[in-house]
Amino acid sequence: TAMIRNLGTMTKNGLLAVGSDARRTVVEHLRDANRLRKARVHPIAVLSALRVYAGGQSLKGRGYVRGGQADWKPVPKIVDALDTAFELAFMNVQPSNKRIMLALDVSGSMTMGMIAGVPGLTPRDASAAMAMVTARTEPDYMFTAFSHEMVNLNITAKMRLDKVVKEVSGLPFGGTDCALPMVYALDNKLKIDTFVIYTDSETWFGKIHPAQALRQYRDRMGIDAKLIVVGMTSNGFSIADTNDNGMLDVVGFDTVAPQ
């Protein structure tokens, strides 16, 4: 993890020059599934490192763009190795083995800005990556997109991130109704153990509160379903009923949040 975090600094200081032992070692470690597993590196952490490193600029501190010049020139071999590490890191995720509905906000604001705790990623990129994690690790899942209405998503375990992002882009959107996944599941009699909603800071709801929609789903389906609402760029919201230990609000997002 420390090595991945310092790739930019090592490149800037010339340590990863062509032909160097250090570069060979870094590439070998990034492509080593056993090392990644022992370090418990999550795919989101690798994806963040890949985006930052390939961009050539540190996102911490002030004045990181020095006259428009990059802090370092990315080494192609390191970029390729990080891409490999991203794929290998999926093996580190432990499945819950629950019936999961992942609902992704597809409103236009999901493409704006970056998540403070995950440098280099927009909310859309991060939510798409989390969909990939679910597809690669869980045996029983379904994906939906939502704004003012629900749309089924055709995301499979074999898709790469750019394809997943494309799948959730360009869809019709209006308001962001976080109650829709539970309402949709109840209307269609879908058997779901866990609803996971990814949005940016839009936690608005329409005719029914998400907590109430979850309670209705539980009562009518006879399933003690859980709800997780992740506001990836939010600095404060409240959807979960604090008296219900089957509901969770995740306010903000970083590389530890997936675990």
Side-chain angles (χ1 to χ4, degrees):
T1 301
M3 183 193 74
I4 291 172
R5 190 181 298 123
N6 286 282
L7 290 173
T9 300
M10 288 190 283
T11 301
K12 182 169 59 177
N13 292 337
L15 191 64
L16 303 183
V18 175
S20 69
D21 290 339
R23 187 176 79 159
R24 187 179 304 108
T25 299
V26 167
V27 170
E28 288 176 355
H29 287 190
L30 288 173
R31 291 175 174 170
D32 189 329
N34 289 329
R35 286 182 179 273
L36 291 167
R37 185 175 62 253
K38 290 179 180 178
R40 298 180 181 178
V41 179
H42 193 277
I44 292 293
V46 182
L47 180 60
S48 173
L50 172 59
R51 291 292 176 86
V52 172
Y53 183 77
Q57 293 174 343
S58 170
L59 300 183
K60 292 184 178 180
R62 294 178 298 172
Y64 62 86
V65 180
R66 299 182 178 91
Q69 300 297 313
D71 286 345
W72 61 82
K73 184 177 180 180
V75 177
K77 281 277 188 182
I78 302 298
V79 174
D80 289 344
L82 280 168
D83 187 64
T84 299
F86 174 59
E87 294 293 326
L88 292 173
F90 285 103
M91 294 185 294
N92 299 344
V93 181
Q94 295 295 317
S96 68
N97 295 313
K98 302 295 184 181
R99 296 168 294 190
I100 296 176
M101 176 189 281
L102 212 66
L104 308 183
D105 180 359
V106 293
S107 61
S109 60
M110 290 287 283
T111 64
M112 300 176 186
M114 286 182 289
I115 300 170
V118 190
L121 294 185
T122 65
R124 176 158 293 171
D125 289 340
S127 63
M130 290 304 298
M132 286 182 66
V133 172
T134 298
R136 298 280 184 93
T137 59
E138 296 291 347
D140 195 351
Y141 60 85
M142 71 171 295
F143 298 114
T144 59
F146 76 98
S147 54
H148 63 293
E149 62 183 6
M150 297 291 290
V151 179
N152 285 325
L153 295 173
N154 296 315
I155 297 174
T156 69
K158 294 183 178 181
M159 292 173 69
R160 291 182 62 84
L161 182 60
D162 58 340
K163 295 292 185 182
V164 178
V165 171
K166 184 178 180 180
E167 180 72 19
V168 299
S169 301
L171 296 172
F173 60 85
T176 305
D177 187 347
C178 289
L180 279 179
M182 286 73 71
V183 173
Y184 177 84
L186 180 57
D187 288 345
N188 291 277
K189 300 297 186 289
L190 302 175
K191 295 181 179 180
I192 304 295
D193 295 312
T194 306
F195 296 90
V196 186
I197 296 172
Y198 286 101
T199 178
D200 48 2
S201 59
E202 300 295 329
T203 53
W204 171 88
F205 54 91
K207 296 180 180 179
I208 184 172
H209 191 282
Q212 182 59 30
L214 178 67
R215 283 191 286 267
Q216 285 188 6
Y217 177 85
R218 288 170 174 169
D219 291 342
R220 296 181 188 179
M221 293 295 294
I223 299 173
D224 189 22
K226 293 179 171 61
L227 168 65
I228 303 169
V229 179
V230 184
M232 290 182 148
T233 63
S234 181
N235 58 6
F237 73 92
S238 179
I239 282 182
D241 181 346
T242 57
N243 294 315
D244 189 323
N245 63 8
M247 301 185 196
L248 175 67
D249 290 335
V250 180
V251 184
F253 197 78
D254 61 16
T255 54
V256 180
Q259 296 176 345

